[in-house]
Each structure stands twice: as structure tokens, then as C-alpha cells.
Amino acid sequence: MRDDFPILQREINGYPLVYFDNAATTQKPNSVIDAMNDYYSNSNANVHRAVHTLAGEATEGYESCRRELKSRFNASKAIITSGTTEAINLVAHAWGRANLSDGDAIILTEMEHHSDIVPWQMLAKEMNIELRYVPVQKDLTLDMDLFEDAIEGAKLVCVVHISNVLGVCNPVEKIIEIAKKKGARVLLDAAQSAPHQEIDFQQLGADFMAFSAHKMCGPTGIGSLLVSEDAFAEMQPFMGGGDMIETVSIHGSTYQKNEQKFEAGTPRIAEAIGWSEAIKWLNSIDIKSEHKRILHSARWLAVQLREMGMTVYGRHDDNDAAVVSFLHPTMNSEDLAHLLDARGFAVRTGHHCAQPLLDRLEITGTVRVSLYFYNTHEEVVSFVDYLKEILERFA
Amino acid sequence: MRDDFPILQREINGYPLVYFDNAATTQKPNSVIDAMNDYYSNSNANVHRAVHTLAGEATEGYESCRRELKSRFNASKAIITSGTTEAINLVAHAWGRANLSDGDAIILTEMEHHSDIVPWQMLAKEMNIELRYVPVQKDLTLDMDLFEDAIEGAKLVCVVHISNVLGVCNPVEKIIEIAKKKGARVLLDAAQSAPHQEIDFQQLGADFMAFSAHKMCGPTGIGSLLVSEDAFAEMQPFMGGGDMIETVSIHGSTYQKNEQKFEAGTPRIAEAIGWSEAIKWLNSIDIKSEHKRILHSARWLAVQLREMGMTVYGRHDDNDAAVVSFLHPTMNSEDLAHLLDARGFAVRTGHHCAQPLLDRLEITGTVRVSLYFYNTHEEVVSFVDYLKEILERFA
Amino acid sequence: MTYSTELVELIEEFKEIDDKMERLEMVFDLADEVNLLPIEQWTDSTRVHGCQSEAHVKVEIIDSNVHFYSGADSKLVQGLMGILTMAIHGIEVESVLTLSPEFAAEMGILNSLSPSRSNGFRNMFDKVMNEIRHHA
Amino acid sequence: MTYSTELVELIEEFKEIDDKMERLEMVFDLADEVNLLPIEQWTDSTRVHGCQSEAHVKVEIIDSNVHFYSGADSKLVQGLMGILTMAIHGIEVESVLTLSPEFAAEMGILNSLSPSRSNGFRNMFDKVMNEIRHHA
Ligand SMILES: Cc1ncc(COP(=O)(O)O)c(C=O)c1O
Ligand SMILES: Cc1ncc(COP(=O)(O)O)c(C=O)c1O
């Protein structure tokens, strides 16, 4: 599998790259890179409403992405956006503005990524909407009792499926069940789960699911919002422009009926073609056993780190992601990351765009190792070895 | 120059591709394709706030695009968006909502692309704003007298720099001068001018300028909004999420000060790296003499078409783009485009996302030939020859 | 399903042509095969949606046979209508209803058209079939 | 401008090291060279903005000589402060003001740091220079 990813041949400061920053973005297989290359070298054209051969090929390539998305996630509506963040903002504008009103409540959790907080804070301020944050408990799980209290009168529940800091997978089936009973719509931030799990969107029963291509072996600049038919019917257009309209006159406009209604302007054509290949690549691997394998490495890593005196934030249950966030008692995280980089290890430090969660944990950041399917246990072992060396020399 | 563009080797139905659909999107030189390839194969990582080598390279690549934009267009603020359409919607949301109020007026023209109409129609409806459309006259120019009448009390003027249907270049210097005198801000839709002209944004004195990479040899999925310092200071955040914030707590958030404030979420990294190279490619050619050359071909084509009995919509002044829109008196435009495609000629038909302009011209669409710098006069000659053959056989 | 001999011959003819322009020329020629639905009878209910050009169809069932009238402002589209005419006009309802739009793919026509045109053909086909089912 | 002999030696030493880790190790060691600004004196006005870690600097001019106090929660950042200390502490204002942040680039330090860290260094450098200009 590693041969599929050209970047894994890269050396950093004379050492082989060990890429452990997968929750930030994943690497791309050759099939993805080649498909975009081929598009730009042989088929580049603007899509829709054109007759010539290239435009036909480009349109087919673009729409193939939507087909792959619908089929992988069993969804009936897949809107293409520029990423998770735009997908969530789309819900806030296209659904929120049209369906919420003064005094309504939205439920968030303290585990959310900023992209699933800030759009709601902005909407809340503008429309006078109450935001209720479900707290994270000591054991790093959501306080489900408080969630059940909070659901009363809430119109929308926004929850991160898998935390990008902790790797914790939230009980979304249960959350959706409770929310549906109370008639609240549910938005899943699936930025971290879409890359790691097989998700049946319609069976799960959520209304919105947002995720990014770049975190699942696809290109930058593209993502998707899956939408249930019911919620789709409640959405008003967000951005206006070419392709999302049916007719325009100076007196007013009519809009497309399908996903295009929310895809204003020339779409992300090359990106869609690349993502399509990334989904095919994911379809081709045994994601369940790969997940088990890297989760096993993550658990092993967590044990080693604790033995070295680090504080590890994570629990690594079976459905959690292979993410290990940790802190050394005295050594500055970024110093550590610099030293790791000196030997080719790429990890992330900082608040991971989840400051409210870190506030709750009473820390300002962590060092985060996040594994993906092309990582090996040997890489994790060499990481531990080198970390020991660093601590001996510098701590 | 043609060697720089791999797609120009392509054959369509056994004939060499003659790509005349450049106003829809342009082709990409090898340097652009290779840079993105190299990014994905060697440097792919998420940008900002990270310590490791790849993240540094990715950040540098992303920010190099902003530098190239600022330097080519002499701008002090360049926000990176997903394209012209998103850039205009950004103005509507980030500037419009914060600076317009009930009863204010916005000036548009009948020559606008849907992307510079629909966002304003949506805002107008929501905020009760008056839209004033400057009419297009018989000679295909804006009625400047009516513009001067309309400016009274208008807060914003939105005007397309070069029409994507007619190629007509509007007198934006004059429009800006008049608007500034009355204290109105000016948005230029430069989707068609940025690829064809050298533009000095600060000297021109507009407040906003929107354009897309894909129409100027860059990748899909990326564009920019240049903003004057004055207008920038008046803008409120639009989309919320990662990267655009300084701090987030459950009680509220503070935002970045610079362009990042408007770039929520993981940005278009590979696209920015590709666009950067496209700008360098444009910097490397003599755009003025190339423009003269293709405009000369466009004028010649217009004469030939008129002689064949076609109606040509365009005037082809010195600053107009090399775009030739035409109609055959009886033959259906799409039939024509199909026949052209049979011999490798790619043209566009339809309303070109400018229905109000076509309403004014009392037509529903045109066949559009749009030339770019890699097109040759020989291609235009062979187009005319083949068109004659078609008309003999089919008209 | 079984095709009329006329249609079988047409499919054979199409298959033999390599050159896209000649294939388009054949479709153009088939525009004359329609039973023309005059413009005066074009209404919202005869319109084929999702076509970029104006395309109108009307179906009648007389003595269990399909009667098919059509017209378009594009000769190419009308040529496609001509092909459909050969496939269904004057044919028994029962037999027509076994038809799938695949026959056009088989002829290689759909591939020579832009995706929007071939979608248009499928829309036309579906509309016609629905009306036949409705009338029958 | 002219560098102090101490600084010249340091630049030479840095240039000789190929291995990034050893270079970082040297920077770490230089953290001890600062005149420590105690945490109690860290305020908003001593803070270097745009640094990811807490980094604080204070400048005094005594008899036309620069006195430089600093501290950070990152040893690497404090190491950079140590280098700056060697470059400016106890040196005449006039001479210090001719310094540009290029000397750090020349040492190959900035390249071994992430862009955010090397921006941090530039921010620190600018803040210090501004304060010296202000005081002088
Ligand atoms: C004049 C004009 N404005 C706006 C646009 C929209 O650009 P995009 O689709 O790249 O957002 C276009 C291109 O289609 C255009 O020609
Ligand atoms: C849980 C979660 N939500 C949202 C995002 C935002 O994704 P993007 O930056 O691709 O829009 C991320 C990734 O950074 C994430 O991990």
C-alpha cells in the first residue's frame, strides 16, 4: 500500500519521512494525483451546458464524484463544497437562516472543532439563538445526561462524530435517536470519521454530514455536505451565481432543483475528479482491518508515552480513531515537534482548532500523533525510540 | 508557447483539438500542472500553525500565491476564495450586510454575469435594497448617462470589467471616478479582464476586484478578491471556522486581522501553488502584444462571419477581449456546435450565464468563440473554412 | 425486445460509420422522419424538460398502436425524434413498452452527443414511455 | 554592519553543522545566554506577538548601550533570544541599529525553524529594534 503514495519516499533532513499528521490532512495515492494530471493534460474544460467533447468529459468527471460519494455513504443528496468548513457554513446559511428564529436553541458540544462552533456563534448573534454546549467529562466522553436535558426545545444538534484531538468516537446513533424523537435536525461533523469508518448516512438517520476530501486521500479545496431529503427540502439557496440558477432576469431568478442549487460558480472540477479516485482507493482497501491495525499501534503508543511520563489524552475504544494526543510535563510541545522534525517525524502541536475542548481539559495544546492506513507499526516504534533519545538529551 | 500546454496535443474525433472556449476556462501550462503534482508528491501537508517541514513548505507555497497576486495586480489585500462567484458572494455577505441598510441602492449593469447579479438579488430581497440596472445600448456599450443618473444615492456599483459574451471592455476608470465622487464603493467583476490585461488595482481605485484562477491558466477551485484598505476595514467575517479565528471560547471568538479572517477552513493549498505558477507564466509573456495578435484574429473572424450571413455581437475595440459571439440566421446554435466538435473545434453555446444581456439583445443564446494567447490565426482560418463546409452541407 | 426491420437496418448503418460528422449528418437527415408536431401545438405539457432546445412530443394510441408526433428547434434533436419515430410509430403498445433507451446507445448515437443532449434523449424517451403507459 | 567577535564565531560554528538536530541542540544551549526576564515581569507590553509560545522581551538603554532581557516558555525561542542577546546586549545603540534580521538567516537558523517560528524571530527582532529606537 505504501507504494501507492509517492510522498512516502520523501526524505526530511536526510531521514525518511514519517508522516503522523493525518488528522490535519492525509497523503494522496498515485491514482488521485494521476487523475488530476490527466484531467489538466487531456480533458480540462468547464462543465455543464456545453456541447464539445472536453466539456462532456469534464462534466462526466465532475458528476462521477457525486456518484461515488452517494454510493460510498449511501446518501441521496451530496452537495459538493470546498470542505467541511464551507459545508457547515452552508447549513448555517441555507438551512439555519430559513428554519431558525429568535429564541431557538442549537446544541453543540465542547468537543467541536472551531469550524463547527464559529458559524453557529455568528448565526446565534445575528438571529438571537441560544447555543447549548454539551460538556465533556473527565473520561473524555460527552455528558449524555446533560445532552438529554439540553435537547428540550432545541431545533438542531451539531456534533463531531470523531474528535480530532482525542480520537474519541461519539455515540452518534444514540444522539440521533434522541434528537429525532424531539424533532431536532442533526448535523454530523464527519471530518475525522469519513476517512476512518464505513458510514451509511441514510441508515444512521442524520440530516447533514460534512467532511473534507483532503482528510481522506483526496485533493485540497473540496468537500461535501450530505443531506437527507427532508432537510434538503427545507434549504434555501446560499451563494448565488452561475450554475445554481435555472433562469435569471433583472426582475428575479429561479433556481435549480438538485444539488447544483448550492454549487454556485464554476465548480471544483479537477478536485472532484481527484476525489472520485480517492474514494475508489478507499473502496479498494479493507478499512475495518486496517483500522484495527493502526488503532492497535495507537494503543501501544499511548502505553509507551505514559510510561515515559507523558500525559495522554485519549481512551482508544474500538471505534475511536488512531489519534494520540499527549503532553510532556515540562518540555514545550513545539520544541519537541521541532526536534521530531529534525529526524523526519511530522506531528502537529497547538490547539488543533478545538480551544473549548482544551479549556475544559485545562491545557492550551497537545502534541498530536494521528495515524492513517499507510502508517506502519515500525514507524511508531521508531518514533518511541527517538522520543526517548530526545528526552534523554533535552528534557 | 503552445508546447507549454500539453492538452493542445489532444485529438478530438481524430482531429487536432482547436480550443476556442477560453472565456469559460483556459488551459494549463506544464509548469502549473507540474507544481501541483510536485506538491502532492513531495510536500503535501496542512498549512499554518505547524512545525514540521512539509507544513512549512505547504504554508510557503500557499502564501506565495498571495504574494504573486499582490505583486501582479498591485494590491495590498488579496483574499483567496474558491473563484469569482465566491468572491462576489463574499462582498455581499462580508461588506454588504454590514454596510447596507433598508432602502439603500446598488447599481448593476445589464451586462453582468449571473454571478454578479444573483448574490445582489438575494441580498436585495433580504435587506430591502434597490437594484438599479444600467442598460446596454444598441452599440453594446453601457448607457453612461443613465449610470450618472443612477449613481445618486447608490452605495455600491457592481460592474463587469469585460463582458464574457461580447468581449466589450467597460469604461471602468470613468465609472470608478464618478462612483468615488459620490462616495459609492465599486466592485469589479474581473473574471474576463484579469486573464487579458495588466491591471493596477490600486491605481484603478476600485474597492473590490473578483476573478478566478481557472480563467487565467490556473487550476479550478480557486480565485481571489482584491480589496482596498478602506473597504477591508469595513468588512465583517463571512464564513466561520478554523484558520480565520484568533481565539475561540464557548462565550465567543476573536478573528484574525488580515486576509485569513475571510479564509475559513483548510485553504486551497495545491490550487494556490498551481495558481502561483500560472501568474508567473503570465508574467513571462508579453501580454500586450499577444492581446493585439488574438484581437486581430477575432476582428478578422468577425468580418468573415458577417460575410457568411451571421449576426455578430461585439465591436472589438482595442481593449475588448478576443471574443466573438454570433448567430446563424436559421441554424440552431447547438447543432452547429455539435458539428464543430466533430472536427475538434470547441466553442460554447447558450446564454453564457448572462440572460439579462441576452434579453436586452432579444436573443436566447449565441455561439461564442473566445481566443487565448495559445490560439493561432491558422486555427481561426481553419475554423472559418470548416464553418463554410458545414453551412454548405447543412444550412 | 425486438426491433422493427427498419430500426435494425438503421442500427447497422450507424455502426458502420466511424466519422462523427457523418453520423451527425445521418441524424440530421432523420429529422424528416418525424410526424411533425406543428409549433402551434407546442405547449408546456408537450415540452421535454431538461433539453436545452425546445423539444415537444405528443403520443396517441389508435387501435393499440402508438402514434408519435414531435418537433424541435434543433435539427439534431429532431433527428433523434426521427429515430424514435422509426422505433415506435405505428407499433403495438405492448411491444413498444418493452423498449429501453439502450437501443440508442447501441447505435452509438448517444456517445456522439454531449451529455446534456443524451440526457435530453433519455428525458424524451421517458416522457414518451410514461405517456404511452398512461394512455394504455 | 559589523558583528561582535562572539557573534562571528557563533555564525561560523552554526555554518559548520549539517545535522538539523545538532543545530537545534546548539540553539537550545544558547537559551542560557539570556538575561532572564522573570515570569513575574511578563506583561502585555513585553509580549512578542505572532509567536505561538509565550515570548517576552525588555530593553533598557544605559550609557548608550543596549541592555536586553528576555524569556520564553519554549527553550528554542529562548535560544533565539540568547543569540539576539549575544548580538545586541552591551553593544552601542548606534551599532545595534544597523543590524538586520539577516544575520540569523545567514546562520542558517531561520531555515531550520518552521515559518511560524522564523516569523516569530522577525517579530521579536522588530519589536526590540523599535523599542531601542523609541528609547534612544
Ligand atoms: C464575467 C464573469 N463573471 C463571473 C464569472 C464566474 O466565474 P466562476 O464561475 O469562476 O466563479 C465568469 C465566468 O464564468 C465570468 O465570465
Ligand atoms: C473534526 C473536524 N471538523 C472540521 C474540520 C475542518 O475541516 P476543513 O479545514 O477541511 O474545512 C476538521 C479539520 O481540520 C476537523 O478535524
Side-chain angles (χ1 to χ4, degrees):
Chain A
M1 178 192 302
R2 289 177 65 84
D3 289 346
D4 292 347
F5 293 82
I7 205 170
L8 300 180
Q9 307 302 319
R10 170 84 193 257
E11 296 202 335
I12 304 284
N13 303 312
Y15 295 84
L17 167 68
V18 177
Y19 186 77
F20 282 170
D21 192 17
N22 292 290
T25 200
T26 54
Q27 299 304 339
K28 323 304 171 199
N30 278 315
S31 58
V32 170
I33 302 173
D34 293 348
M36 290 190 283
N37 228 326
D38 179 54
Y39 166 71
Y40 281 127
S41 303
N42 294 302
S43 303
N44 174 67
N46 213 324
V47 297
H48 303 307
R49 291 206 197 84
V51 157
H52 59 80
T53 302
L54 298 184
E57 291 172 4
T59 305
E60 165 56 24
Y62 181 68
E63 291 297 333
S64 78
C65 180
R66 204 189 306 283
R67 279 201 305 275
E68 291 294 336
L69 284 168
K70 287 184 180 178
S71 117
R72 179 165 180 94
F73 296 105
N74 186 27
S76 64
K77 288 277 188 292
I79 300 169
I80 293 178
T81 69
S82 67
T84 307
T85 302
E86 192 183 292
I88 295 173
N89 279 275
L90 174 61
V91 178
H93 285 263
W95 186 87
R97 280 170 186 277
N99 295 279
L100 297 174
S101 50
D102 199 325
D104 278 345
I106 297 175
I107 298 185
L108 308 175
T109 87
E110 284 181 350
M111 221 184 264
E112 300 312 305
H113 187 278
H114 294 166
S115 292
D116 201 25
I117 298 176
V118 185
W120 306 115
Q121 288 183 337
M122 291 164 75
L123 192 73
K125 203 167 156 192
E126 198 186 308
M127 298 184 70
N128 190 30
I129 283 164
E130 183 195 347
L131 300 182
R132 300 175 184 162
Y133 292 85
V134 179
V136 174
Q137 307 174 111
K138 283 250 156 58
D139 67 357
L140 307 180
T141 64
L142 297 175
D143 188 327
M144 288 298 284
D145 290 340
L146 286 186
F147 170 68
E148 295 208 41
D149 292 348
I151 190 74
E152 218 55 57
K155 288 271 172 67
L156 175 68
V157 177
C158 302
V159 60
V160 64
H161 193 172
I162 292 186
S163 160
N164 62 315
V165 179
L166 308 171
V168 165
C169 182
N170 286 313
V172 293
E173 294 82 357
K174 192 147 176 230
I175 289 171
I176 292 168
E177 192 193 314
I178 295 169
K180 294 273 114 169
K181 258 191 214 139
K182 299 289 179 179
R185 300 237 170 262
V186 179
L187 161 66
L188 283 193
D189 174 352
Q192 298 295 337
S193 56
H196 286 272
Q197 294 189 355
E198 260 145 19
I199 301 175
D200 184 322
F201 177 68
Q202 300 198 59
Q203 202 198 304
L204 204 52
D207 296 291
F208 306 102
M209 177 170 138
F211 52 106
S212 301
H214 70 92
K215 293 187 199 280
M216 47 191 289
C217 297
T220 58
I222 187 167
S224 182
L225 181 73
L226 308 181
V227 189
S228 70
E229 291 290 347
D230 287 351
F232 192 84
E234 295 173 350
M235 287 169 77
Q236 291 302 314
F238 171 28
M239 292 203 248
D243 266 17
M244 54 76 75
I245 59 92
E246 207 167 64
T247 61
V248 174
S249 83
I250 63 171
H251 308 296
S253 302
T254 59
Y255 305 115
Q256 297 254 25
K257 304 276 168 301
N258 276 325
E259 288 98 328
Q260 279 87 2
K261 185 174 179 175
F262 303 101
E263 297 172 2
T266 298
R268 296 120 180 118
I269 309 167
E271 292 88 337
I273 287 168
W275 197 8
S276 201
E277 289 303 318
I279 298 171
K280 285 182 202 154
W281 184 86
L282 278 173
N283 290 344
S284 79
I285 66 167
D286 179 351
I287 199 170
K288 279 189 188 143
S289 74
E290 291 294 331
H291 174 71
K292 258 197 192 143
R293 182 178 63 74
I294 60 173
L295 184 63
H296 181 269
S297 288
R299 284 173 177 155
W300 181 84
L301 175 59
V303 170
Q304 303 302 311
L305 291 171
R306 288 197 170 103
E307 279 180 6
M308 279 186 243
M310 310 279 194
T311 309
V312 174
Y313 302 89
R315 49 166 207 179
H316 307 110
D317 267 18
D318 286 352
N319 286 321
D320 291 359
V323 168
V324 186
S325 260
F326 64 94
L327 277 178
H328 185 270
T330 58
M331 196 163 172
N332 177 279
S333 293
E334 293 187 6
D335 290 352
L336 197 55
H338 267 105
L339 290 164
L340 286 165
D341 181 62
R343 288 285 183 273
F345 294 92
V347 301
R348 191 147 295 232
T349 55
H351 57 52
H352 314 302
C353 291
Q355 286 180 337
L357 174 61
L358 299 192
D359 287 349
R360 165 64 61 177
L361 301 174
E362 296 177 349
I363 53 181
T364 59
T366 72
V367 183
R368 182 184 69 186
V369 167
S370 53
L371 306 180
Y372 205 50
F373 303 138
Y374 38 70
N375 288 126
T376 65
H377 193 65
E378 289 68 45
E379 288 179 315
V380 180
V381 172
S382 67
F383 175 80
V384 167
D385 289 345
Y386 177 54
L387 202 57
K388 285 181 179 154
E389 191 186 327
I390 290 177
L391 295 188
E392 265 164 38
R393 278 167 83 171
F394 297 95
Chain B
M1 177 192 303
R2 289 177 65 85
D3 288 349
D4 293 347
F5 293 81
I7 205 171
L8 299 181
Q9 307 301 319
R10 170 84 192 259
E11 296 202 337
I12 304 285
N13 303 312
Y15 294 84
L17 167 66
V18 177
Y19 186 76
F20 281 170
D21 193 16
N22 292 290
T25 200
T26 55
Q27 299 305 339
K28 323 302 173 202
N30 277 315
S31 58
V32 170
I33 302 173
D34 292 349
M36 291 190 283
N37 227 327
D38 179 57
Y39 166 72
Y40 282 127
S41 303
N42 293 303
S43 303
N44 175 68
N46 213 325
V47 297
H48 304 308
R49 293 206 196 82
V51 157
H52 61 78
T53 302
L54 297 185
E57 292 172 2
T59 305
E60 164 55 25
Y62 180 69
E63 290 298 333
S64 78
C65 180
R66 203 190 306 281
R67 279 201 305 275
E68 291 294 336
L69 284 169
K70 287 185 181 177
S71 116
R72 179 165 178 93
F73 296 105
N74 186 28
S76 64
K77 287 278 188 293
I79 301 170
I80 293 178
T81 69
S82 67
T84 308
T85 302
E86 192 183 291
I88 296 173
N89 279 274
L90 174 61
V91 178
H93 285 263
W95 186 87
R97 280 171 185 279
N99 295 279
L100 297 174
S101 51
D102 200 324
D104 278 345
I106 297 176
I107 297 186
L108 309 175
T109 88
E110 283 181 352
M111 221 185 267
E112 300 312 304
H113 186 279
H114 293 166
S115 292
D116 200 26
I117 298 177
V118 186
W120 306 115
Q121 289 183 337
M122 292 165 76
L123 193 73
K125 204 169 157 190
E126 199 187 309
M127 298 184 71
N128 188 31
I129 283 165
E130 184 195 345
L131 299 182
R132 301 176 183 161
Y133 291 85
V134 180
V136 174
Q137 308 174 111
K138 284 249 157 60
D139 68 356
L140 307 179
T141 62
L142 296 175
D143 188 327
M144 288 298 286
D145 290 340
L146 287 185
F147 170 67
E148 294 208 41
D149 292 348
I151 190 74
E152 218 54 56
K155 288 271 172 68
L156 175 68
V157 177
C158 302
V159 60
V160 65
H161 193 173
I162 292 185
S163 159
N164 62 314
V165 179
L166 308 171
V168 166
C169 181
N170 286 314
V172 293
E173 294 82 358
K174 189 143 179 233
I175 289 172
I176 292 168
E177 193 195 312
I178 296 169
K180 294 274 114 167
K181 259 190 214 143
K182 299 290 179 179
R185 299 237 169 260
V186 179
L187 161 66
L188 283 193
D189 174 351
Q192 298 295 339
S193 56
H196 286 272
Q197 295 189 353
E198 261 147 18
I199 300 175
D200 184 323
F201 178 68
Q202 301 199 62
Q203 201 198 304
L204 205 52
D207 296 291
F208 306 102
M209 177 170 136
F211 51 107
S212 300
H214 70 90
K215 292 187 200 280
M216 47 191 285
C217 297
T220 57
I222 187 167
S224 181
L225 181 73
L226 308 182
V227 189
S228 69
E229 291 291 347
D230 287 351
F232 192 84
E234 295 172 351
M235 287 169 78
Q236 291 302 313
F238 171 29
M239 292 203 248
D243 267 15
M244 56 75 75
I245 59 92
E246 206 167 66
T247 61
V248 175
S249 83
I250 64 171
H251 308 296
S253 302
T254 59
Y255 306 115
Q256 297 254 24
K257 304 275 168 300
N258 276 327
E259 288 98 328
Q260 280 87 1
K261 186 172 180 179
F262 304 100
E263 296 171 3
T266 299
R268 296 122 180 116
I269 309 167
E271 291 88 338
I273 288 169
W275 196 8
S276 204
E277 289 304 318
I279 298 172
K280 285 183 203 154
W281 185 86
L282 277 173
N283 291 344
S284 79
I285 66 167
D286 179 351
I287 200 169
K288 279 190 188 141
S289 74
E290 291 294 331
H291 174 71
K292 259 197 192 144
R293 182 178 62 75
I294 60 173
L295 184 63
H296 180 269
S297 288
R299 284 173 177 156
W300 182 83
L301 175 59
V303 170
Q304 304 301 311
L305 291 171
R306 287 197 171 105
E307 278 180 7
M308 279 186 246
M310 311 277 195
T311 308
V312 174
Y313 302 89
R315 50 166 207 179
H316 306 109
D317 267 16
D318 285 353
N319 285 323
D320 291 359
V323 168
V324 186
S325 260
F326 64 94
L327 277 178
H328 185 270
T330 57
M331 197 165 172
N332 176 279
S333 294
E334 293 186 6
D335 289 353
L336 198 55
H338 267 105
L339 290 164
L340 286 165
D341 182 62
R343 287 287 183 272
F345 294 92
V347 300
R348 190 145 296 232
T349 55
H351 57 51
H352 313 300
C353 292
Q355 286 181 337
L357 174 61
L358 299 192
D359 287 349
R360 166 63 61 177
L361 301 175
E362 296 178 347
I363 53 181
T364 58
T366 71
V367 182
R368 184 183 68 186
V369 167
S370 53
L371 306 180
Y372 205 49
F373 303 138
Y374 38 69
N375 288 126
T376 65
H377 193 66
E378 289 67 46
E379 287 180 314
V380 179
V381 172
S382 68
F383 176 79
V384 168
D385 288 346
Y386 177 54
L387 202 56
K388 285 182 180 157
E389 190 185 329
I390 290 178
L391 295 188
E392 263 163 39
R393 279 168 81 171
F394 297 95
Chain C
M1 70 141 304
T2 50
Y3 299 150
S4 65
T5 35
E6 229 184 336
L7 195 57
V8 171
E9 274 174 33
L10 192 65
I11 292 178
E12 286 314 309
E13 255 184 274
F14 256 97
K15 279 188 178 161
E16 272 164 31
I17 306 177
D18 276 341
D19 185 63
K20 182 168 166 179
M21 180 150 70
E22 283 178 41
R23 244 183 290 141
L24 291 176
E25 196 163 8
M26 257 190 85
V27 179
F28 268 75
D29 289 343
L30 292 164
D32 297 337
E33 298 291 319
V34 303
N35 306 294
L36 202 63
L37 185 74
I39 296 200
E40 304 83 63
Q41 294 184 35
W42 292 8
T43 65
D44 236 29
S45 71
T46 61
R47 165 185 270 116
V48 181
H49 287 279
C51 253
Q52 295 205 16
S53 30
E54 289 284 327
H56 292 262
V57 295
K58 197 178 140 187
V59 169
E60 281 174 4
I61 312 286
I62 302 174
D63 296 340
S64 320
N65 283 339
V66 171
H67 285 234
F68 178 52
Y69 309 89
S70 56
D73 63 0
S74 146
K75 252 194 138 177
L76 255 182
V77 173
Q78 194 165 311
L80 297 175
M81 290 167 162
I83 295 170
L84 194 58
T85 305
M86 291 168 71
I88 66 171
H89 183 74
I91 312 280
E92 285 218 322
V93 168
E94 247 172 73
S95 162
V96 167
L97 285 178
T98 63
L99 208 62
S100 97
E102 287 320 301
F103 81 92
E106 211 179 300
M107 288 167 81
I109 307 176
L110 293 191
N111 315 1
S112 357
L113 296 176
S114 64
S116 60
R117 273 289 152 77
S118 54
N119 276 340
F121 181 80
R122 281 176 214 275
N123 290 346
M124 170 168 73
F125 187 89
D126 290 348
K127 180 174 166 66
V128 167
M129 286 303 186
N130 279 337
E131 290 190 11
I132 293 172
R133 253 178 244 116
H134 189 78
H135 283 299
Chain D
M1 70 145 300
T2 51
Y3 299 150
S4 64
T5 35
E6 229 185 337
L7 195 58
V8 170
E9 274 173 33
L10 192 67
I11 291 178
E12 285 314 309
E13 256 185 274
F14 256 97
K15 279 189 179 162
E16 272 164 32
I17 306 176
D18 276 339
D19 185 63
K20 180 167 167 178
M21 177 145 77
E22 284 177 39
R23 244 183 292 142
L24 291 176
E25 197 164 6
M26 257 190 84
V27 180
F28 268 75
D29 289 343
L30 291 165
D32 297 337
E33 298 292 320
V34 303
N35 306 296
L36 201 64
L37 184 73
I39 295 200
E40 305 82 63
Q41 294 183 33
W42 293 7
T43 65
D44 235 28
S45 70
T46 60
R47 165 184 269 115
V48 181
H49 286 280
C51 254
Q52 295 205 18
S53 29
E54 290 283 327
H56 292 263
V57 295
K58 196 177 141 185
V59 170
E60 280 173 3
I61 311 286
I62 303 175
D63 297 338
S64 320
N65 283 340
V66 171
H67 285 234
F68 178 52
Y69 310 89
S70 55
D73 63 359
S74 146
K75 253 194 138 176
L76 256 181
V77 173
Q78 194 166 310
L80 296 176
M81 290 168 162
I83 295 170
L84 194 57
T85 305
M86 291 168 71
I88 66 172
H89 184 74
I91 312 278
E92 285 216 324
V93 168
E94 246 171 75
S95 161
V96 167
L97 285 178
T98 65
L99 209 61
S100 95
E102 287 321 301
F103 82 91
E106 211 179 299
M107 289 166 82
I109 308 175
L110 294 191
N111 314 1
S112 354
L113 296 176
S114 65
S116 60
R117 273 288 152 76
S118 52
N119 276 340
F121 181 79
R122 281 175 215 275
N123 290 347
M124 169 168 73
F125 187 89
D126 291 346
K127 181 177 167 66
V128 167
M129 286 303 184
N130 279 337
E131 290 189 11
I132 294 173
R133 253 177 244 118
H134 188 76
H135 283 299

